[in-house]
Amino acid sequence: MSETRSETARETGPGGAGADRPRGSGLALAVIATAQLMVVLDATIVNVALPHMQKALGFSGSGLEWVVNAYALTFGGLLLLGGRAGDLLGRRKMFITGLLLFSAASLAGGFADSQGFLLAARAIQGVGAAITAPAALSLITTTFPEGPARNKAMGVYASMSVAGGAIGLLTGGLLTTYASWRWVLFVNAPIGLAVALAASRVLTETPRLRGRFDLPGAITGTVGIAALVYGLSSAATSPNGVSHWGDAKVVVSFVVSAVLLVAFVFTETRSPHALLPLPLIRNRNRSGAYLIFAGAGTAIFGMFFFLTLFLQTVWGYSALKTGFAYMPFTVAVLMASGTAAQLVPKVGPRPLLLVGSVVSTGGLFWMSRLTEHSSYAGGVLGPTMLAGVGIGLLFVPSSLTALSGVAESDSGVASSLLNTGQQVGGSMGLAVLGTVAWTVVANQFHAHADPIHAYATGFARGLLADSGVALLTLVVAIVAIRVKRSDLAGTPQAEPASHAEAA
């Protein structure tokens, strides 16, 4: 009996139902949400400034891609390690460390006078993001107990995670148009410093858990994921219709990734201090939630990519006008996420996941009907709002399901898995969806179609394939999700003792 009570106490920890709430929980949520917004926003804020960076620093077309890929590579590759670092070294400490590193790299990147300097700064930004993102999400689970408080906090977090991309496009357009491309990087420094200072005052440090870093797992997992992201980033068919899936560097990347990830799984089954405790993903509901989160992330990446290209290439929108075009989507996401947080205690996660999957699929399918003759009011406004509602309904219940009942000692790595799924899923999805879209564009050119019609057809076909990805989230929700409303009501679920506790 006493052993059971002590186990429950360890699982609930500072974030459990009986834990003391930190002073200023509203301020704590604001700090966490702002940090998450910065990390997500930075994946798109740079996109609209790429032509200006190319002109200023002399990037080639292929080299310019690495301004985006350098960030994605280190961010996606180091997330698991960043999550475990928070578990072992203290989540507030790692949250602040990641923010300061991210902000310093942003400041340095703004002063870049060469291609190598900028790419190095972007890579270091990704390292900072990989430390910050899992710490931010795990701090929600340890600051707010399961139930209404965590549901509300997760709604705010999910809103920032989804809407951040659209806000990044708008902010990037404003800064590039009225200041300079360098300000899309400079802007992070003062905000990051202010958030880091606030975090030291309003966030409560989590205990440093017993255990050691799983060095073999860290090496095989980090390099394996990084190789996968690199291969996927390099594989997508280019705008001229040339496929890179068979390129030597792509094939080698995939082979290296497969070997290392198999070795990672083998290592994790035998390590007493596993970087990724396998019981976390053996839970049916949790693994299903991770897949839904990854699918929703892919759908967002695809929508931003193809719709942005459509608006600018086919309709000739400026970067700033493109950013404003996404505002209805942002509003829809914010409203749907807040609604989902309110509905989860009443109906449970599964109905919301089912409805969100259907609605997001419908919105993306509607969007894929775009042609060069469509109008914004008739072809973009409705579909983006519908997609925003669907995606907003997905993120809150999938996050809550993935993190429900996780032992406090594993909340960092459990949080990092959500972010890893979104990053790797997004990279994988864009590689496949890009191949579909650019192949159609190339075929249209070979058929001597009008260039505008060729691009419009290809981008619409990419959006159609993207709606197929959203449809897969519905299949996963039907097959895998069985979590009940009572499971998220605040009573900790029984979980096997974590590896850190066993140590």
Side-chain angles (χ1 to χ4, degrees):
M1 179 73 73
S2 61
E3 183 179 347
T4 302
R5 283 196 299 268
S6 64
E7 180 72 4
T8 301
R10 284 195 298 268
E11 288 198 13
T12 57
D20 292 334
R21 292 284 296 278
R23 69 179 191 274
S25 59
L27 288 175
L29 179 57
V31 166
I32 294 169
T34 303
Q36 178 65 11
L37 177 62
M38 288 176 61
V39 169
V40 174
L41 178 149
D42 217 71
T44 58
I45 192 173
V46 168
N47 288 15
V48 295
L50 289 177
H52 299 266
M53 294 177 177
Q54 183 176 29
K55 183 177 180 180
L57 301 179
F59 278 101
S60 65
S62 58
L64 191 64
E65 295 175 4
W66 284 100
V67 177
V68 176
N69 291 343
Y71 180 80
L73 187 64
T74 52
F75 185 15
L78 293 170
L79 273 166
L80 281 178
L81 190 57
R84 180 52 76 200
D87 289 338
L88 297 180
L89 302 177
R91 297 183 188 107
R92 184 182 69 173
K93 179 187 295 183
M94 298 312 298
F95 178 79
I96 293 172
T97 299
L99 271 176
L100 292 176
L101 183 62
F102 180 89
S103 302
S106 298
L107 182 64
F111 287 113
D113 57 1
S114 68
Q115 297 176 23
F117 194 119
L118 179 59
L119 294 181
R122 288 288 288 165
I124 296 172
Q125 271 189 289
V127 176
I131 297 171
T132 302
L137 185 51
S138 60
L139 279 167
I140 285 182
T141 67
T142 56
T143 301
F144 299 92
E146 281 194 293
R150 185 180 297 181
N151 296 343
K152 180 180 178 181
M154 199 64 75
V156 174
Y157 176 90
S159 298
M160 296 300 100
S161 298
V162 182
I167 295 171
L169 290 171
L170 176 58
T171 306
L174 287 169
L175 292 173
T176 304
T177 301
Y178 296 111
S180 160
W181 67 265
R182 297 182 182 276
W183 276 97
V184 303
L185 296 165
F186 284 149
V187 70
N188 289 321
I191 298 174
L193 181 60
V195 173
L197 290 173
S200 66
R201 294 177 176 273
V202 303
L203 296 179
T204 302
E205 182 58 282
T206 57
R208 294 180 57 173
L209 303 173
R210 291 181 299 162
R212 296 193 299 272
F213 279 106
D214 170 23
L215 188 58
I219 294 172
T220 54
T222 298
V223 180
I225 293 173
L228 178 60
V229 174
Y230 175 81
L232 292 168
S233 299
S234 305
T237 300
S238 57
N240 60 8
V242 177
S243 174
H244 299 285
W245 287 92
D247 289 1
K249 66 178 181 180
V250 173
V251 173
V252 170
S253 296
F254 287 157
V255 170
V256 169
S257 175
V259 170
L260 289 175
L261 291 178
V262 168
F264 173 71
V265 173
F266 181 81
T267 299
E268 298 308 277
T269 60
R270 288 160 175 77
S271 173
H273 305 286
L275 182 66
L276 172 59
L278 295 182
L280 276 178
I281 54 177
R282 288 180 186 146
N283 180 289
R284 174 178 180 170
N285 290 310
R286 189 171 296 128
S287 59
Y290 284 137
L291 288 174
I292 291 172
F293 203 89
T298 302
I300 295 170
F301 276 50
M303 188 196 77
F304 282 148
F305 183 75
F306 293 118
L307 186 57
T308 299
L309 285 174
F310 186 96
L311 293 174
Q312 295 187 350
T313 305
V314 178
W315 285 354
Y317 278 26
S318 67
L320 184 58
K321 189 175 181 180
T322 300
F324 277 109
Y326 280 109
M327 288 305 294
F329 169 82
T330 305
V331 172
V333 166
L334 294 174
M335 294 179 64
S337 297
T339 300
Q342 296 294 321
L343 289 177
V344 163
K346 299 176 182 177
V347 302
R350 192 169 189 265
L352 293 175
L353 293 173
L354 294 173
V355 172
S357 297
V358 171
V359 173
S360 58
T361 300
L364 290 169
F365 180 79
W366 184 7
M367 203 181 302
S368 72
R369 304 297 92 193
L370 271 172
T371 71
E372 63 271 31
H373 305 297
S374 302
S375 66
Y376 176 81
V380 175
L381 180 61
T384 53
M385 292 185 70
L386 193 63
V389 169
I391 290 170
L393 291 176
L394 286 175
F395 267 72
V396 173
S398 60
S399 299
L400 289 169
T401 301
L403 298 175
S404 176
V406 173
E408 188 205 340
S409 56
D410 292 329
S411 66
V413 72
S415 302
S416 69
L417 278 171
L418 279 171
N419 288 287
T420 300
Q422 186 176 6
Q423 290 299 312
V424 175
S427 297
M428 184 180 299
L430 276 184
V432 175
L433 298 175
T435 296
V436 172
W438 293 121
T439 299
V440 172
V441 171
N443 290 339
Q444 290 288 316
F445 276 128
H446 292 156
H448 306 290
D450 173 71
I452 294 299
H453 177 72
Y455 285 123
T457 303
F459 300 152
R461 198 65 56 82
L463 288 167
L464 179 61
D466 198 28
S467 70
V469 174
L471 183 61
L472 290 177
T473 64
L474 174 61
V475 176
V476 174
I478 292 172
V479 173
I481 303 299
R482 292 293 183 271
V483 66
K484 300 175 182 177
R485 179 180 60 182
S486 58
D487 294 333
L488 305 184
T491 303
Q493 298 175 22
E495 289 281 343
S498 76
H499 65 287
E501 290 163 356

